[in-house]
Amino acid sequence: MNSRASLFRARYAVWLRWMVLAPLLYACIGTSAHAAPRELRVGVYSNEPKLFVDAQGRASGIFVDLLQLVAEREHWTLRYVPCEWQDCLDALAAGQLDLMPDVARTRERERLYDFHSLPVLHSWSQVYRARGSTIQSMFDLAGKRVAVLKGSVQRATFLSMMDSFGIAVLLIDASTLVEAFEFVQRGDADAVISNHLFGNLQAGQFGLVDAGIVFQPSSLYFATGPGRNADVLAAIDQSVQRWRSGAEPRYTQVMGRWAGPEAGAQMSAAMGWAMVALAVFALLAAVSAVALRRKVDERTRKLQASEQKLATILDSVGAFIYIKGQDFRYEYANHHILGLFGRQAQDVVGLDDSAFFDQATTAQLQANDRRVLQQGELLEVEEVNTHLATGETRAYLSVKIPLRLPDGSIHALCGISTDITERRKAEESLRIAATVFESFEGMVVTGPDQRILTANQSYARLTGYSVQELVGETPRLLQSGRHDTHFYTALKDALSATGGWQGEVWNRRKNGEVYPAWITVTAVRSPQGEITHYVGTQTDISARKAAEEEIRLLAYYDPLTGLPNRRLMADRLQHGLASAARMGTGGALLFVDLDNFKDLNDTQGHEIGDQLLCQVAARLGGVRQGVTVARLGGDEFVLLIEGLSPQPAEAAAQAEAVARTVLLALGQGYPLGGRMYHGSCSIGVALYADAQGSVDELLKRGDLAMYQAKAAGRNTLQFFDPRTQAAVSARTALEADLREALRDGQFLLHYQAQISQFDGMVGAEALVRWQHPERGLVSPGEFVPVAEASGMIVPLGAWILRTACVQLVQWAQSPVTAHWSLAVNVSARQFRHPDFVDDVLTMLEETGADPQRLKLELTETLLLDDVEDTILRMTTLRALGIRFSLDDFGTGYSSLAYLKRLPLDQLKIDQGFVRDLLTDANDASIARAIVTLAQTMELGVIAEGVETAEQRDMLASLGCHVWQGYLFGRPGPASALLAVPEIVLA
C-alpha cells in the first residue's frame, strides 16, 4: 500500500509541475500596463512552505515570492499582515485586507470573495500519522481523532467523505497547521490533515509520516474582497500566464528554491575511533574472562549443592510444584508432578502442557501462564484439567509466581498446585441444595403448628417482610380478607385428608398491596407417619394475569403508541364499510406515511424514532373526534373517517379537509432529544365508494395513493388514481413478459462503434435490445429497471456476456476486426452475485474468446458498498487480461483513495457532460478535470454521447481522443460497424 501511495504521489507531482510550467492551451499572451503605485495589505497565515512568517518576523514562502514578482512588475507596495486562517478570511471579507494568498476556490467561497482566473499552484490533501500508528487506509480512521485546520475546505470535504462511507471520526479543530501537527505529536490526536506541501515539509520535524490517504486535489489562488481589486486580479492572471509560458525565469528560481536541498549522508570520522575503542574493549574482556571462569566454577559447585537441598524440600511438600519458562515448557517438576504424569524428569523437562493435557486444558493453562510471564501478575486461580493419558478431569487450586532476573525482567514462573477435586464436589452438593431452595418463586417451611421456621429470599421479597419478621409467624399474617372462613376451613381439611393442597389465593403484602398468588402446600411426615413440617411454595401470578391482558392488547393494539393495530383496524374498517352501505353514508381512508423517517432512525437512533412515532400518534388522535386512528407498522398510520356525505365529490372535499389538517399538525416541530425536529408526511386518500366493499381493496388503493404523494414531492396528499393501479399492473405484466423473453430468447445485441482519433475503429459497446413478439423493440429504459428490481438482471446479464464473447470469437477470425474490443455493461447487482467471477471464467473457456478483448463497464455505485470485495473481484478478472472501464464517471461519488486502488483501465465521460460541452463552462471544466485525472493515473479515457464534430474536436483539444456516439452511427447489428463514415474521423 505504501509503495503504491508513493508512486501515486510521485506521478501527481509530475502532473503538478506540468500544470504550472507548461505553455497555456490558449495562445494569447497579454501585457499589462504598469498600474499606479499602490499599497496592498496581504494576509499571512502559517502554512509552510506556501506561506508563513519566518523566525525574523518576515513574510515568506512560495506565494510571498511569487507575489513579489508581480509587485515588482506592477510597482505595488506590499504590507503583510500576520493572522490566523479564519481571521484572515474574515478580514478579507470585511475589507481590512486586500489580498489573501493560498486560497482554494470553491463555489461557496466564490460567493464571498473574488478570484483571478488561472491557478497559481495545485495541491491536494493528505493524512499524516505518528510513526508507530497502524493507520493505513481510510477505514482505519474509524473512531480516531483527526486534527484539521478550522474553517478549511479540507475539513468540510473530509467530513463529507467520511459520512458518505459511514465512518465516524472525531475532528479536532486547530487554528494553525503547526498546532494541528503538535496535537498528533503530543498524542492529543491520532492523525492530522494538511496540504501535501506543508505536510511533506513538516512531517519529519514532528515525527509523523504519510498515512497513504489522499483526497481533494485543488487549485490555489489569490483572493480579494467581493467587488474590489479587479485590476489586481487581472495583473496576477497576466503574470501567471507569463510564468506558465516560460517567459519569466525567476518563477522557476522561486519554485526551485522551495523544492528544498537534497539530503546526503557521509560516514562520520568518529566511526573509526569507535572501532578502535571496540577492539580495546574486546582485548580487556578476553583477559577478564580467564579470571571470571574460575569464579564461575566455584559458584557452580555451590549452586549444585543448594539445588539438591531445594529439590529435597520441594519433593517433601504435598503439592504439585513446577517451573515453566517463557516458552511455557517445563524447566523443573517435583516428584508429585512426575507421579501425576507417570514419567521421569528427563521425559517432562522441555515439554509443554500439550504433552499431558487435552487441547482445551492446554489453552487454559497457557492463558494463565501468559498473565504471569508477560504481565507479571501473582496469580491464584482454579484450573480444571483433563489428562490425556486417562481422560480424567481434576480440579486444582494453583498459585503462580513470576521469577525475575536481577534487572527485573521475568524469565520463568513457579507454580504450586493443590488437587481440590473432592472438596469442590462437596461444595457443589451444598450449593445445589441451597440453589434448589432459593430457586423457587417463594418457599417457606413451617412446623406442625404452622409457625414459620424458615423462608427463602424470594418468599420474603414476594410478601414484603424480611425473613426475620416471618420466622415465628403463621401464614395468616398474609390474609387479605378476600376469602371467608369457609375457604380456609376447606383448605385445612384437604391438607389433612390428602397431605397437600394447591390453588389461587389473594394475599396481602406488608405494604398493604393485595396480589394473586398460586400456592402449593405439602405435608412432610416422619417414618411413623406423623406430620413434622409443612413446605409451601408461593408464586405471584400478577404477571401472568397482566400478561393475559397484555396478550389481548398486543392482539389488537400497537404496543408503542397504544393505537389500534392492523388487525383491529381491519375489523373496524369492515364494520365501517358495512355500516356505510347500510346507512347510505360515505367514508374515507387516509393512509399516512412519515417522510424521511428512515433517515431519522439511521442518524439519531431508534429511541428517537420511537419518540417521534408516539408524538405523531398523539397528534393524529386529536385531529377530529370520531376518527379511528391506527398504526399499521413502521411509520405508517391509517385514519378511518366515517359519516361523510354519500356524494363522492362532497365526501372527497370533507376527506381532503381532514387530510390537510393532518398535514398541518404533523408539519409542526417535534421536541426530540433536546432538539427540535421538523418533519412532514405523505397522505393517500381512498373513498369508501372506491373500495367496492372490500377492506383489502380500500387499503391497497390508499397505499397506492400514498406512493403517488411520495412521487409528487412528499408533504402532500393524493387521491387514489386508477392510472396508478394500471401502472402497477403494467409493471407486473412486464415482469412476466421478461421471464418469458428470457426463456424464449427474445433478446438481441446491438453494437455502437468506439472510435479512436489515431487508430480509427477500436471496438464497440454491446447494448441489449428486446424484440417483443407483439410490441416490437422495447426500450432498455423500460425493461432494464424492472429486470434490476426483480433480480432478472443476473440471468439477462449472463446472456449478454456470453453473446458478447461469441461475437469476439467471430471478430477474431478476420484481420480487419481481430483487434477490436467489446465493452459490456455490468450492473452492480450482477457484479456482486456470488457466482459472477466463476461464470465469466466459464464463458471465456467455453467460447474461446480472448479475455484481453473484453472490457467490462462498471458504474460508480460499486464504490459505495464493500469496496474490498469489489477490488478482489476486479483483480481476479484483471489477472486474466479482462479490462475495466468506469462508466458515467463524474455523475456519482468517487473517492480518490479507492479510485487509485481499483485495477481500472479507462474512465468514461458521461454524455451529460458532453451534451453541453460547447455551451456550459462547468461541463467543459468537468470534462477537462476527468481527462487530467485519467492522464495522472495513467488511465485511458473515452467520451460517450458525441453527436457533432464540434463536440469531438473540443474533446480532442482537452486530451480525450476516443469517442462514442451518434456522430459515428447509431447502435445496430454487428455488420453495421464496418460502415462507419470516414468523414467523422477527419
Side-chain angles (χ1 to χ4, degrees), residues 554-865:
L554 288 175
Y556 294 102
Y557 292 89
D558 174 49
L560 176 64
T561 63
L563 294 176
N565 61 12
R566 179 184 292 270
R567 183 176 181 182
L568 182 56
M569 182 275 302
D571 181 67
R572 291 187 179 179
L573 182 55
Q574 185 66 62
H575 282 83
L577 289 172
S579 176
R582 184 174 61 255
M583 300 178 64
T585 59
L589 178 144
L590 271 58
F591 204 109
V592 181
D593 186 273
L594 303 184
D595 296 332
N596 304 314
F597 179 73
K598 183 178 183 301
D599 294 340
L600 177 68
N601 256 348
D602 292 344
T603 57
Q604 302 296 322
H606 290 280
E607 182 178 352
I608 296 297
D610 288 347
Q611 292 180 25
L612 175 63
L613 293 175
C614 291
Q615 293 187 39
V616 167
R619 295 185 185 186
L620 290 177
V623 167
R624 175 176 169 176
Q625 288 189 350
V627 173
T628 299
V629 182
R631 181 187 176 207
L632 299 188
D635 59 338
E636 294 180 340
F637 297 85
V638 165
L639 282 74
L640 306 182
I641 310 173
E642 298 181 282
L644 300 182
S645 171
Q647 300 300 322
E650 294 181 4
Q654 294 168 337
E656 181 180 0
V658 176
R660 296 203 177 278
T661 303
V662 171
L663 286 173
L664 180 62
L666 300 192
Q668 305 299 315
Y670 300 85
L672 298 176
R675 301 174 61 183
M676 190 62 66
Y677 171 77
H678 293 277
S680 61
C681 67
S682 298
I683 303 177
V685 184
L687 299 178
Y688 280 12
D690 298 331
Q692 301 174 351
S694 169
V695 171
D696 290 340
E697 185 65 24
L698 188 61
L699 285 172
K700 181 170 67 174
R701 296 190 175 196
D703 192 27
L704 287 172
M706 182 272 293
Y707 278 107
Q708 281 183 287
K710 292 282 188 185
R714 305 175 186 242
N715 193 24
T716 186
L717 65 92
Q718 290 285 327
F719 280 80
F720 171 72
D721 186 350
R723 290 174 297 181
T724 305
Q725 181 66 48
V728 173
S729 301
R731 182 182 178 88
T732 303
L734 182 61
E735 184 175 332
D737 286 351
L738 270 175
R739 299 185 187 279
E740 183 177 346
L742 276 171
R743 185 183 67 247
D744 298 343
Q746 297 176 8
F747 294 100
L748 53 88
L749 288 187
H750 279 182
Y751 303 87
Q752 187 171 37
Q754 293 184 339
I755 306 298
S756 169
Q757 182 179 6
F758 308 111
D759 301 317
M761 178 82 71
V762 294
E765 178 181 0
L767 302 169
V768 67
R769 296 292 185 265
W770 180 10
Q771 185 65 51
H772 194 280
E774 298 176 359
R775 301 170 56 188
L777 282 178
V778 181
S779 168
E782 183 177 351
F783 70 82
V784 168
V786 177
E788 285 273 8
S790 64
M792 284 187 286
I793 195 66
V794 175
L796 177 58
W799 177 87
I800 294 171
L801 269 174
R802 180 176 294 275
T803 305
C805 289
V806 172
Q807 183 62 57
L808 281 174
V809 173
Q810 295 177 3
W811 283 348
Q813 297 173 4
S814 170
V816 176
T817 58
H819 67 283
W820 288 2
S821 63
L822 188 54
V824 179
N825 285 283
V826 178
S827 74
R829 186 166 187 172
Q830 179 187 2
F831 185 84
R832 299 210 181 282
H833 193 275
D835 300 329
F836 175 73
V837 174
D838 292 338
D839 289 346
V840 174
L841 299 180
T842 301
M843 292 176 193
L844 292 171
E845 182 179 354
E846 291 178 355
T847 61
D850 184 357
Q852 296 186 2
R853 298 299 174 194
L854 179 62
K855 180 168 57 179
L856 302 183
E857 291 193 356
L858 309 178
T859 61
E860 294 184 46
T861 55
L862 283 174
L863 304 181
L864 300 179
D865 184 30

Side-chain angles (χ1 to χ4, degrees), residues 34 38 40 64-78 80 235-236 239 243:
H34 293 309
R38 61 184 300 182
L40 295 179
V64 171
D65 288 355
L66 294 180
L67 184 59
Q68 191 62 42
L69 297 181
V70 184
E72 291 175 6
R73 184 167 178 264
E74 300 297 331
H75 303 290
W76 295 338
T77 298
L78 303 178
Y80 293 101
I236 292 175
S239 294
W243 299 341

Side-chain angles (χ1 to χ4, degrees), residues 113-250:
Y113 316 102
D114 287 347
F115 295 82
H116 51 92
S117 300
L118 300 176
V120 178
L121 285 178
H122 294 272
S123 177
W124 61 85
S125 301
Q126 292 186 183
V127 177
Y128 297 84
R129 59 175 174 81
R131 295 186 184 276
S133 173
T134 59
I135 297 174
Q136 300 289 337
S137 71
M138 186 179 301
F139 288 106
D140 295 336
L141 294 174
K144 295 294 191 297
R145 302 163 300 169
V146 181
V148 65
L149 184 62
K150 180 180 180 181
S152 63
V153 176
Q154 297 161 332
R155 187 188 194 283
T157 302
F158 180 77
L159 186 60
S160 175
M161 183 170 64
M162 292 294 100
D163 289 344
S164 66
F165 283 93
I167 301 174
V169 297
L170 175 62
L171 294 185
I172 301 177
D173 289 325
S175 57
T176 67
L177 288 175
V178 171
E179 183 185 33
F181 274 63
E182 288 174 347
F183 283 159
V184 182
Q185 185 183 42
R186 294 197 307 266
D188 295 334
D190 302 301
V192 60
I193 298 173
S194 80
N195 67 80
H196 75 287
L197 293 171
F198 181 90
N200 292 342
L201 179 67
Q202 297 288 347
Q205 300 181 25
F206 292 90
L208 309 185
V209 296
D210 176 17
I213 303 173
V214 180
F215 68 100
Q216 192 200 8
S218 60
S219 300
L220 304 177
Y221 299 79
F222 288 90
T224 186
R228 298 192 291 268
N229 301 316
D231 57 329
V232 173
L233 298 179
I236 292 175
D237 267 333
Q238 291 178 356
S239 294
V240 174
Q241 282 186 333
R242 289 175 55 82
W243 299 341
R244 291 191 173 185
S245 65
E248 179 60 77
R250 289 187 298 172

